[in-house]
Every structure is written in C-alpha cells, then in structure tokens.
Amino acid sequence: MTRRPADPSSSGTPAGAGEVASVDGSGPDGASAGAAGAAGDPGRRRWIGLGFLAAGLSMIVLDGTIVGVALPAIIADLGMDLTSAQWVNSIYAVVFAALLLSFGRLGDRQGRRTVFGIGVVVFVVASVLAALAQGADALIAARALQGIGGAMVLPASLSTVNAIFRGRDRAAAFGVWGAVMAGMAAVGPLLGGWLTTTFDWRWIFIVNVPIGVVVVLGALRFVDNTRSHEPAGPGVDVDGLLTSALGFGLLVFGLIEGSALGWWRPIAPLQIGGWTWSADAPISAAPVAIALGVFFLVLFVLWERHRAHSGRSAILDLRLFALPTFSWGNLTAMSVAVGEFALVFVLPLYLVNVLGLSILGAGVVLAVMAAGAFMSGAMARHLAARIEPRGVVVLGLSLEVLGVAALVFVLGPATSPALFAACLAVYGVGLGLASAQLTSLVLADVPTDRSGSGSATQSTVRQVGSALGTAVSGSVLAARLGTDLAARLDEVAGVPAQVAQQLVRATTD
C-alpha cells in the first residue's frame, strides 16, 4: 500500500480538505512501471483509465433504456405475456437501485477498481445468459443479474474518478462522466432499434461482451485501485444492507409499475412466480410497494444513525447530508433525472405513433439530444472556469426548460422531425451542462475516503429520479389518453361510448 502523492499538474485541493486516497500497486499512483510506461506519464495514464471507466458506465446506462425498444421483438420471439415483459423491463432497475449503496460502501473498503472489475464481469456473464435465454424466466433472471453487476459498476466508477483526479482535471473528468451518464440514456433507443431491426434482439446483449472484456483489461492496466483508509467501525451492517435494498427496491418497483398495476385501484394482476396479487383486490400492489419502500427507508435511516452513534460500521454516512453541496446537489440531480427519463419514455411513443417514424428514425431524433449532452458535457469545465460550477448548472437547467418549452409550442401531428430534433438539441445541451457540473458539485466537499458512499448515494438518487420520471410521464399519458381520446372519438367520429372505451383501452395498453 502506498500513499497517493499530490498531482503537481493540477490546481486545487482534493475533496475532504487534504484527505488522501490510498491505492494498490507496485509503483507510484498504484501503477506498475509497465503500465505507466505504456501510458507515457501518470497524468496521461489517468485519462486513459477514465476512458475505460466511461466505457463500463456506458454499458450499464445503455441497458436501462435499450431493452424497451426491443421488447416487442422479444415478446414475439419468446412468446411472453405482458406480465413477463414488464418484469424484463423493470427488474434491472429494481435490483440496480436496491444494491447501489451497499456496493458503493463495499468499494470504499475492498478497493473500487476491484468492485468495478467484478461488476463488469458479472454484467458480461449476465448479458451472455440474456442473449442465450429461451424463455421469459431465464431472461428475467439474467436481467436481475445484470442489475447486480450494474450496481457494482456505477458507484465504483464515479468514486474512482473522485479519488484520482484533482483540481481542474477533476472538473473535466466529472464533465466526461456526467456527459456519458446523460447522453447514453438517450442513445439506448437508437442503438436498440438499429440492432433489433438490422440483426436480432439478442444483439442488444451480445454487444456487451467484447466491450466488457476490453473494459476489464483496460481497467486492470490503467485504473488505480483506490480505497478508503478511514478507520472502520466494528461489525458488518447486514441490517442496513437489507433495509436499504428492500426500501429502494420496493420504492422503484412501485413507481415503475404504478401505471401498469394501478395507482390505487388495481387495473391488472401482479404475478411473481406462482403468487398472484389479484386484480380484484381492494388496493393495487403499486401503492403498497411504495408505502413499504418508504417504511423500510425510514428504518434504514434510523438504523444507520444508531450505528453511527454507537461507533459501528454503516453503509450510509449520514454526516454527508450536513454538506449543503451534497444535499442540494442530490435534490437537483434527482430533478434532472426525472425530466430526462420522462422524455426518454414518452418521446419515442410520440415519434413512432404520431409522426409515423420508424423505430430507427425515432432513435436518430433522440440521438440529437444525446449529441448535445456529450458536446456540452465535455465543454462544461471551460465554462465553469468563467461563471463557476453553480452558474453552469443554472444555465444548463435554464436551457432544459427552454428546450422543453419550445417543444411544447411546436408539437403537432405534422411537426417536422428536424424541428423536433432542434428543440431536443437545446434540451440536450442543457442536460449535458447540468449533469456534468452537478456531479462535481455533489462530491465537491465529500472526503475522498467516503467517495464510494457519496457516489452511491448520488447514483441511487438519480435512479429513484429516473423511475419517478418514467412513472409520472406514464401516468399522465395514460390519464390524458383516457379522457381526451374518448372525448375526441365522440366529438369527431361519433363513436359510441362503449366502443370508444375499448379503443381507448387498447391504445393505452
């Protein structure tokens, strides 16, 4: 074990007012002499390592949105019913959100590169199993395993960036990370549509294999295995792991499935294995899941506070929320995720069903938003040098609002896809600016030794925000279809009420 020296090429101080991360390795910066020589110098080596971290992050973010566009082909090929299809789409997000905090803390203790590498391997193995699946159960199990791998990769990648970069370089690295996080979610529908229509739906999983192999080999060579050396309290926080996993898992599940199961009265049954929550039950499973999730999260916070006061190890360091940048930054990050994933959920439906674009064409339009996010995210650090990171975030949020407002005014059944894309480009630029600097702001005052816990908390908040965005947009869409479509069918076409309701139900489904 060696102490990491300060980076003389960068200005600023590390997070945590001088706390220093420790790394594993045989030479300076935890790197072997061969790896450092291959990279040319330690500074260049860090940037090469960031590329591999970003590639690993890209895989897991893509899988949050890439499956949705391929789902009709999967249903047809495997003969799945609607319930199984919903589980294929949601189990990844549920498991992912449930385990982020636990694996973030594990990375702090056992080595962030170690957890990152294992997570990529788990994700790749799960992708192979998903590609080979011959039935719904096998595919659902593989997607759950992907969620476990993703929950290891995301906080480990971000906390590693927080630990190895300093000063101006740190702001730039966070810009890259934030741009990848924001942009790849929008690229998912495009890539999924292209792979499904050009090859086969199984290719959305197969492509992860070569990428994963390259990422693991590159991380071993170019990424420092940082870890926390803050004294750990005695014991293992098993109760914290269970209550946080149950809390976040149930909360995200309820938010995602509320539109399908009903927000209060059940509109569809819930099937888990051989157990069924009947559609005739007095209340839907979704609000019950949300209520139980909140209950377990309250227990989790109380338990973590108790362990902290007794000097024992804890998954979540509640002291982080005393940092204004951490608390307010996380709240803002969740709001950004709500908006982004609401658009990513609704816009493909509009582009295909209203404007009549193909799935691939809709993906191309959405890719403009991703391109804007990538471009502005990479440039955000230069802007931050002039107007400070907080100013960049405010500017980014303002552009997001402007892009969405413009989209509202131009929307119509004959809207030009080019005009549609132009509005999304404005939104994407704002998204890239806000996401890139939010990441830096949230972790700005977090001590390096607690990077894993801080990174996992931010990742969990974003994941809850993405589920909330999907839930809200889906519910609003279903509710408006239920009222407006029925009225229009009666007003314009004179369709009888009973027939109109059947048409509305089919359209909503």
Side-chain angles (χ1 to χ4, degrees):
M1 291 295 207
T2 60
R3 287 284 181 184
R4 178 178 181 79
D7 182 4
S9 65
S10 301
S11 63
T13 57
E19 291 193 43
V20 184
S22 294
V23 297
D24 296 331
S26 56
D29 293 306
S32 67
D41 61 75
R44 184 182 173 196
R45 179 177 179 273
R46 285 196 294 272
W47 289 106
I48 296 174
L50 176 63
F52 289 109
L53 292 173
L57 174 66
S58 297
M59 286 196 310
I60 64 167
V61 175
L62 272 175
D63 264 61
T65 57
I66 198 173
V67 172
V69 74
L71 204 53
I74 297 174
I75 292 172
D77 189 28
L78 300 184
M80 292 191 302
D81 58 21
L82 184 59
T83 300
S84 297
Q86 289 171 336
W87 276 108
V88 168
N89 215 24
S90 63
I91 192 66
Y92 177 78
V94 171
V95 174
F96 188 65
L99 298 176
L100 279 168
L101 281 180
S102 299
F103 283 127
R105 193 60 173 165
L106 182 66
D108 279 346
R109 298 304 177 195
Q110 302 302 320
R112 296 166 185 129
R113 186 187 66 187
T114 299
V115 173
F116 176 84
I118 294 173
V120 173
V121 171
V122 170
F123 191 86
V124 168
V125 170
S127 297
V128 172
L129 295 176
L132 297 176
Q134 298 299 316
D137 291 342
L139 183 56
I140 292 170
R143 288 284 286 164
L145 189 60
Q146 277 190 318
I148 295 174
M152 300 175 77
V153 169
L154 182 56
S157 65
L158 180 54
S159 57
T160 298
V161 172
N162 190 47
I164 67 177
F165 285 94
R166 298 290 182 269
R168 291 186 299 270
D169 287 349
R170 189 167 178 264
F174 277 136
V176 172
W177 194 93
V180 170
M181 186 76 178
M184 295 311 289
V187 170
L190 170 63
L191 184 59
W194 178 70
L195 290 172
T196 303
T197 55
T198 305
F199 302 102
D200 182 80
W201 66 265
R202 298 180 188 275
W203 278 89
I204 66 175
F205 301 113
I206 294 173
V207 293
N208 292 327
V209 178
I211 297 174
V213 172
V214 172
V215 167
V216 170
L217 295 177
L220 288 173
R221 188 170 180 83
F222 294 106
V223 177
D224 296 335
N225 194 21
T226 64
R227 69 178 70 203
S228 169
H229 281 266
E230 188 178 51
V236 178
D237 191 5
V238 176
D239 291 336
L241 187 155
L242 292 175
T243 51
S244 66
L246 285 170
F248 284 114
L250 287 167
L251 178 62
V252 170
F253 170 78
L255 291 173
I256 290 176
E257 295 299 324
S259 297
L261 300 176
W263 286 110
W264 187 251
R265 299 290 298 178
I267 59 177
L270 169 64
Q271 295 179 345
I272 304 176
W275 177 81
T276 301
W277 184 293
S278 174
D280 297 325
I283 187 173
S284 169
V288 174
I290 293 173
L292 286 174
V294 172
F295 171 74
F296 279 114
L297 288 178
V298 171
L299 282 183
F300 171 63
V301 171
L302 293 176
W303 177 251
E304 297 302 282
R305 181 178 297 175
H306 165 71
R307 288 187 70 88
H309 287 166
S310 60
R312 304 170 72 188
S313 64
I315 289 177
L316 178 62
D317 190 343
L318 295 173
R319 292 173 295 175
L320 295 177
F321 289 97
L323 304 172
T325 53
F326 186 80
S327 299
W328 287 102
N330 272 311
L331 181 61
T332 307
M334 184 172 72
S335 302
V336 170
V338 169
E340 180 185 7
F341 279 83
L343 287 177
V344 169
F345 177 76
V346 170
L347 290 184
L349 300 175
Y350 187 89
L351 291 168
V352 172
N353 294 290
V354 178
L355 297 188
L357 300 182
S358 65
I359 292 176
L360 188 58
V364 170
V365 173
L366 289 176
V368 175
M369 180 173 77
F374 282 128
M375 179 187 68
S376 62
M379 296 172 58
R381 70 185 180 100
H382 301 294
L383 196 57
R386 299 188 175 209
I387 61 174
E388 296 187 346
R390 281 177 294 184
V392 175
V393 172
V394 172
L395 175 60
L397 295 176
S398 301
L399 288 174
E400 287 188 49
V401 173
L402 179 63
V404 171
L407 198 59
V408 169
F409 282 107
V410 304
L411 277 181
T415 302
S416 164
L419 182 58
F420 202 102
C423 296
L424 287 183
V426 175
Y427 177 86
V429 169
L431 179 64
L433 292 175
S435 296
Q437 290 304 305
L438 265 175
T439 304
S440 180
L441 278 175
V442 169
L443 298 179
D445 299 323
V446 174
T448 303
D449 278 346
R450 283 176 265 164
S451 289
S453 181
S455 302
T457 302
Q458 187 203 214
S459 301
T460 303
V461 166
R462 285 178 182 261
Q463 189 67 12
V464 171
S466 67
L468 185 59
T470 302
V472 170
S473 60
S475 298
V476 170
L477 178 62
R480 297 299 293 178
L481 281 173
T483 56
D484 291 1
L485 184 56
R488 294 288 290 169
L489 286 170
D490 178 56
E491 175 187 341
V492 177
V495 177
Q498 186 174 1
V499 177
Q501 287 302 320
Q502 293 176 344
L503 290 173
V504 169
R505 193 176 303 112
T507 305
T508 305
D509 289 342

